[in-house]
Amino acid sequence: ADEILMGELSALGPIDAQIISNGKRFSADAFLEGLTKIKTDAENKKRLDIAYIPILQNISPGEIQHCENAQSFSRTLVTNWLKEYKFKYWAIHSSTGNPVTDDDKRQRAEEIATILCNHSSWLTHGRSIGIRELEDIRLQITDYSNSPELNDAISRYYTLLRMSFETNLYKVYETPSTQIYRMLNSGNQQSPSNKLNIPNPAIVDFECGKCHNKQKIQINFNQKFPLLPGVTMFPQNNILKCEACGSDSNLLSLRQQLEAQTKKRII
């Protein structure tokens, strides 16, 4: 972006490349740091702790290289984006009044990227970095809360997005010519009506709240249909087990919403 807009409640996150391996998501930096600690411990003790052996046996050289590549790639992306976009209109050094060169932009971008990539400073992927901390590393931020009109517009839009995509409510978005059903993948354009005209069986796209694995669920209304290839049948007990991480998700609210709006029973 050419400009970073933030308010008092806004936050950026650290640059922390995430790796998915064997159904688990973890930080590339934390992975490599853990290996370094094992190596340091072994060097200090002049031997490898037996507890580390099964851990190391499950790690391949390719996984280590993958983490190193992910770290390098994310740092390079941020460096290039800052130089090409955020610093696009940076022409004069505020401290000296001297012209800003491409080398100046790249050097400054690399400094910021290195700080944001320093996992030991931020400790966790979910760390919220606010305006003041970003300004402390000399990254210029536009505080939109200083503009009441802009602050109101962004706050309203943010609230609308959360209402639309972060609640368990089942929503229908209707225009003069069509309806869009959130989470339903029917492939057919539906005409407006008081009762939802959902295909039978219907296919729902579900995302695990824990590991974000996506799978498709088949919903049969009023009668049984054969299970379609590549999908999972809607569970009779409303508890869906994630194919990737094994965690359980309760689909009772989805069942109630669909049955109430279609006037049909899920079987």
Side-chain angles (χ1 to χ4, degrees), residues 12 26 38 56 70 73 78 92 159 168 225 238 246:
L12 292 182
F26 52 88
I38 293 176
L56 296 174
F73 180 63
V78 175
I92 302 295
T159 301
N168 292 325
F225 293 93
N238 303 315

mmCIF file with all atom_site columns, all heavy atoms in Angstrom, residues 12 26 38 56 70 73 78 92 159 168 225 238 246:
data_model
loop_
_atom_site.group_PDB
_atom_site.id
_atom_site.type_symbol
_atom_site.label_atom_id
_atom_site.label_alt_id
_atom_site.label_comp_id
_atom_site.label_asym_id
_atom_site.label_entity_id
_atom_site.label_seq_id
_atom_site.pdbx_PDB_ins_code
_atom_site.Cartn_x
_atom_site.Cartn_y
_atom_site.Cartn_z
_atom_site.occupancy
_atom_site.B_iso_or_equiv
_atom_site.pdbx_formal_charge
_atom_site.auth_seq_id
_atom_site.auth_comp_id
_atom_site.auth_asym_id
_atom_site.auth_atom_id
_atom_site.pdbx_PDB_model_num
ATOM 1   N N   . LEU A 1 12  ? -1.119  -4.078  13.419 1.00 0.00 ? 12  LEU A N   1
ATOM 2   C CA  . LEU A 1 12  ? -0.456  -4.911  12.427 1.00 0.00 ? 12  LEU A CA  1
ATOM 3   C C   . LEU A 1 12  ? 0.162   -6.095  13.162 1.00 0.00 ? 12  LEU A C   1
ATOM 4   O O   . LEU A 1 12  ? 0.348   -6.055  14.373 1.00 0.00 ? 12  LEU A O   1
ATOM 5   C CB  . LEU A 1 12  ? 0.640   -4.128  11.693 1.00 0.00 ? 12  LEU A CB  1
ATOM 6   C CG  . LEU A 1 12  ? 0.183   -3.003  10.762 1.00 0.00 ? 12  LEU A CG  1
ATOM 7   C CD1 . LEU A 1 12  ? 1.383   -2.361  10.084 1.00 0.00 ? 12  LEU A CD1 1
ATOM 8   C CD2 . LEU A 1 12  ? -0.782  -3.525  9.719  1.00 0.00 ? 12  LEU A CD2 1
ATOM 9   N N   . PHE A 1 26  ? 2.500   -24.098 12.092 1.00 0.00 ? 26  PHE A N   1
ATOM 10  C CA  . PHE A 1 26  ? 3.459   -23.579 13.055 1.00 0.00 ? 26  PHE A CA  1
ATOM 11  C C   . PHE A 1 26  ? 4.315   -22.499 12.410 1.00 0.00 ? 26  PHE A C   1
ATOM 12  O O   . PHE A 1 26  ? 4.333   -22.337 11.181 1.00 0.00 ? 26  PHE A O   1
ATOM 13  C CB  . PHE A 1 26  ? 4.355   -24.695 13.610 1.00 0.00 ? 26  PHE A CB  1
ATOM 14  C CG  . PHE A 1 26  ? 5.022   -25.530 12.554 1.00 0.00 ? 26  PHE A CG  1
ATOM 15  C CD1 . PHE A 1 26  ? 6.246   -25.170 12.022 1.00 0.00 ? 26  PHE A CD1 1
ATOM 16  C CD2 . PHE A 1 26  ? 4.414   -26.679 12.091 1.00 0.00 ? 26  PHE A CD2 1
ATOM 17  C CE1 . PHE A 1 26  ? 6.860   -25.930 11.059 1.00 0.00 ? 26  PHE A CE1 1
ATOM 18  C CE2 . PHE A 1 26  ? 5.023   -27.462 11.113 1.00 0.00 ? 26  PHE A CE2 1
ATOM 19  C CZ  . PHE A 1 26  ? 6.246   -27.084 10.589 1.00 0.00 ? 26  PHE A CZ  1
ATOM 20  N N   . ILE A 1 38  ? 18.102  -26.910 20.449 1.00 0.00 ? 38  ILE A N   1
ATOM 21  C CA  . ILE A 1 38  ? 18.509  -28.311 20.600 1.00 0.00 ? 38  ILE A CA  1
ATOM 22  C C   . ILE A 1 38  ? 20.000  -28.460 20.298 1.00 0.00 ? 38  ILE A C   1
ATOM 23  O O   . ILE A 1 38  ? 20.746  -29.138 21.020 1.00 0.00 ? 38  ILE A O   1
ATOM 24  C CB  . ILE A 1 38  ? 17.681  -29.221 19.669 1.00 0.00 ? 38  ILE A CB  1
ATOM 25  C CG1 . ILE A 1 38  ? 16.218  -29.252 20.120 1.00 0.00 ? 38  ILE A CG1 1
ATOM 26  C CG2 . ILE A 1 38  ? 18.253  -30.635 19.647 1.00 0.00 ? 38  ILE A CG2 1
ATOM 27  C CD1 . ILE A 1 38  ? 15.303  -30.040 19.203 1.00 0.00 ? 38  ILE A CD1 1
ATOM 28  N N   . LEU A 1 56  ? 13.740  -35.236 16.369 1.00 0.00 ? 56  LEU A N   1
ATOM 29  C CA  . LEU A 1 56  ? 14.618  -35.017 15.222 1.00 0.00 ? 56  LEU A CA  1
ATOM 30  C C   . LEU A 1 56  ? 14.418  -36.072 14.145 1.00 0.00 ? 56  LEU A C   1
ATOM 31  O O   . LEU A 1 56  ? 14.612  -35.804 12.955 1.00 0.00 ? 56  LEU A O   1
ATOM 32  C CB  . LEU A 1 56  ? 16.083  -35.019 15.688 1.00 0.00 ? 56  LEU A CB  1
ATOM 33  C CG  . LEU A 1 56  ? 16.466  -33.882 16.644 1.00 0.00 ? 56  LEU A CG  1
ATOM 34  C CD1 . LEU A 1 56  ? 17.891  -34.060 17.147 1.00 0.00 ? 56  LEU A CD1 1
ATOM 35  C CD2 . LEU A 1 56  ? 16.309  -32.532 15.961 1.00 0.00 ? 56  LEU A CD2 1
ATOM 36  N N   . ALA A 1 70  ? 10.770  -19.969 3.526  1.00 0.00 ? 70  ALA A N   1
ATOM 37  C CA  . ALA A 1 70  ? 9.571   -19.200 3.875  1.00 0.00 ? 70  ALA A CA  1
ATOM 38  C C   . ALA A 1 70  ? 9.948   -17.915 4.598  1.00 0.00 ? 70  ALA A C   1
ATOM 39  O O   . ALA A 1 70  ? 9.385   -16.842 4.346  1.00 0.00 ? 70  ALA A O   1
ATOM 40  C CB  . ALA A 1 70  ? 8.632   -20.046 4.736  1.00 0.00 ? 70  ALA A CB  1
ATOM 41  N N   . PHE A 1 73  ? 11.554  -15.566 2.004  1.00 0.00 ? 73  PHE A N   1
ATOM 42  C CA  . PHE A 1 73  ? 10.564  -15.075 1.040  1.00 0.00 ? 73  PHE A CA  1
ATOM 43  C C   . PHE A 1 73  ? 9.685   -13.989 1.648  1.00 0.00 ? 73  PHE A C   1
ATOM 44  O O   . PHE A 1 73  ? 9.435   -12.949 1.026  1.00 0.00 ? 73  PHE A O   1
ATOM 45  C CB  . PHE A 1 73  ? 9.706   -16.237 0.551  1.00 0.00 ? 73  PHE A CB  1
ATOM 46  C CG  . PHE A 1 73  ? 8.652   -15.833 -0.446 1.00 0.00 ? 73  PHE A CG  1
ATOM 47  C CD1 . PHE A 1 73  ? 9.001   -15.295 -1.670 1.00 0.00 ? 73  PHE A CD1 1
ATOM 48  C CD2 . PHE A 1 73  ? 7.300   -16.002 -0.150 1.00 0.00 ? 73  PHE A CD2 1
ATOM 49  C CE1 . PHE A 1 73  ? 8.026   -14.930 -2.594 1.00 0.00 ? 73  PHE A CE1 1
ATOM 50  C CE2 . PHE A 1 73  ? 6.329   -15.633 -1.059 1.00 0.00 ? 73  PHE A CE2 1
ATOM 51  C CZ  . PHE A 1 73  ? 6.690   -15.097 -2.288 1.00 0.00 ? 73  PHE A CZ  1
ATOM 52  N N   . VAL A 1 78  ? 8.110   -8.151  1.970  1.00 0.00 ? 78  VAL A N   1
ATOM 53  C CA  . VAL A 1 78  ? 7.854   -6.919  2.721  1.00 0.00 ? 78  VAL A CA  1
ATOM 54  C C   . VAL A 1 78  ? 8.857   -5.838  2.343  1.00 0.00 ? 78  VAL A C   1
ATOM 55  O O   . VAL A 1 78  ? 8.497   -4.663  2.194  1.00 0.00 ? 78  VAL A O   1
ATOM 56  C CB  . VAL A 1 78  ? 7.884   -7.197  4.235  1.00 0.00 ? 78  VAL A CB  1
ATOM 57  C CG1 . VAL A 1 78  ? 7.748   -5.897  5.015  1.00 0.00 ? 78  VAL A CG1 1
ATOM 58  C CG2 . VAL A 1 78  ? 6.763   -8.143  4.613  1.00 0.00 ? 78  VAL A CG2 1
ATOM 59  N N   . ILE A 1 92  ? 12.436  13.336  0.168  1.00 0.00 ? 92  ILE A N   1
ATOM 60  C CA  . ILE A 1 92  ? 13.402  14.140  0.933  1.00 0.00 ? 92  ILE A CA  1
ATOM 61  C C   . ILE A 1 92  ? 13.554  13.566  2.342  1.00 0.00 ? 92  ILE A C   1
ATOM 62  O O   . ILE A 1 92  ? 12.562  13.236  2.999  1.00 0.00 ? 92  ILE A O   1
ATOM 63  C CB  . ILE A 1 92  ? 12.945  15.619  1.029  1.00 0.00 ? 92  ILE A CB  1
ATOM 64  C CG1 . ILE A 1 92  ? 12.776  16.221  -0.368 1.00 0.00 ? 92  ILE A CG1 1
ATOM 65  C CG2 . ILE A 1 92  ? 13.958  16.431  1.835  1.00 0.00 ? 92  ILE A CG2 1
ATOM 66  C CD1 . ILE A 1 92  ? 14.066  16.325  -1.168 1.00 0.00 ? 92  ILE A CD1 1
ATOM 67  N N   . THR A 1 159 ? -17.389 -2.871  11.156 1.00 0.00 ? 159 THR A N   1
ATOM 68  C CA  . THR A 1 159 ? -18.482 -3.522  11.870 1.00 0.00 ? 159 THR A CA  1
ATOM 69  C C   . THR A 1 159 ? -19.339 -4.342  10.916 1.00 0.00 ? 159 THR A C   1
ATOM 70  O O   . THR A 1 159 ? -19.746 -5.475  11.226 1.00 0.00 ? 159 THR A O   1
ATOM 71  C CB  . THR A 1 159 ? -19.346 -2.472  12.590 1.00 0.00 ? 159 THR A CB  1
ATOM 72  O OG1 . THR A 1 159 ? -18.530 -1.733  13.503 1.00 0.00 ? 159 THR A OG1 1
ATOM 73  C CG2 . THR A 1 159 ? -20.478 -3.136  13.358 1.00 0.00 ? 159 THR A CG2 1
ATOM 74  N N   . ASN A 1 168 ? -22.279 -16.569 13.463 1.00 0.00 ? 168 ASN A N   1
ATOM 75  C CA  . ASN A 1 168 ? -22.840 -17.873 13.112 1.00 0.00 ? 168 ASN A CA  1
ATOM 76  C C   . ASN A 1 168 ? -24.215 -17.762 12.468 1.00 0.00 ? 168 ASN A C   1
ATOM 77  O O   . ASN A 1 168 ? -24.884 -18.762 12.257 1.00 0.00 ? 168 ASN A O   1
ATOM 78  C CB  . ASN A 1 168 ? -22.940 -18.747 14.370 1.00 0.00 ? 168 ASN A CB  1
ATOM 79  C CG  . ASN A 1 168 ? -21.572 -19.136 14.882 1.00 0.00 ? 168 ASN A CG  1
ATOM 80  O OD1 . ASN A 1 168 ? -20.668 -19.356 14.093 1.00 0.00 ? 168 ASN A OD1 1
ATOM 81  N ND2 . ASN A 1 168 ? -21.423 -19.222 16.193 1.00 0.00 ? 168 ASN A ND2 1
ATOM 82  N N   . PHE A 1 225 ? -30.134 -39.159 -0.048 1.00 0.00 ? 225 PHE A N   1
ATOM 83  C CA  . PHE A 1 225 ? -29.483 -39.233 -1.349 1.00 0.00 ? 225 PHE A CA  1
ATOM 84  C C   . PHE A 1 225 ? -28.113 -39.881 -1.159 1.00 0.00 ? 225 PHE A C   1
ATOM 85  O O   . PHE A 1 225 ? -27.498 -39.755 -0.100 1.00 0.00 ? 225 PHE A O   1
ATOM 86  C CB  . PHE A 1 225 ? -29.304 -37.835 -1.958 1.00 0.00 ? 225 PHE A CB  1
ATOM 87  C CG  . PHE A 1 225 ? -30.589 -37.153 -2.320 1.00 0.00 ? 225 PHE A CG  1
ATOM 88  C CD1 . PHE A 1 225 ? -31.213 -36.303 -1.420 1.00 0.00 ? 225 PHE A CD1 1
ATOM 89  C CD2 . PHE A 1 225 ? -31.182 -37.362 -3.565 1.00 0.00 ? 225 PHE A CD2 1
ATOM 90  C CE1 . PHE A 1 225 ? -32.392 -35.666 -1.747 1.00 0.00 ? 225 PHE A CE1 1
ATOM 91  C CE2 . PHE A 1 225 ? -32.359 -36.727 -3.891 1.00 0.00 ? 225 PHE A CE2 1
ATOM 92  C CZ  . PHE A 1 225 ? -32.975 -35.882 -2.990 1.00 0.00 ? 225 PHE A CZ  1
ATOM 93  N N   . ASN A 1 238 ? -24.913 -33.646 14.641 1.00 0.00 ? 238 ASN A N   1
ATOM 94  C CA  . ASN A 1 238 ? -24.526 -32.240 14.441 1.00 0.00 ? 238 ASN A CA  1
ATOM 95  C C   . ASN A 1 238 ? -23.063 -31.957 14.777 1.00 0.00 ? 238 ASN A C   1
ATOM 96  O O   . ASN A 1 238 ? -22.638 -30.790 14.710 1.00 0.00 ? 238 ASN A O   1
ATOM 97  C CB  . ASN A 1 238 ? -25.410 -31.299 15.277 1.00 0.00 ? 238 ASN A CB  1
ATOM 98  C CG  . ASN A 1 238 ? -26.876 -31.470 14.966 1.00 0.00 ? 238 ASN A CG  1
ATOM 99  O OD1 . ASN A 1 238 ? -27.269 -31.545 13.804 1.00 0.00 ? 238 ASN A OD1 1
ATOM 100 N ND2 . ASN A 1 238 ? -27.702 -31.552 15.999 1.00 0.00 ? 238 ASN A ND2 1
ATOM 101 N N   . GLY A 1 246 ? -8.836  -33.260 13.362 1.00 0.00 ? 246 GLY A N   1
ATOM 102 C CA  . GLY A 1 246 ? -9.634  -34.095 14.239 1.00 0.00 ? 246 GLY A CA  1
ATOM 103 C C   . GLY A 1 246 ? -10.486 -33.345 15.245 1.00 0.00 ? 246 GLY A C   1
ATOM 104 O O   . GLY A 1 246 ? -11.158 -33.964 16.071 1.00 0.00 ? 246 GLY A O   1
#
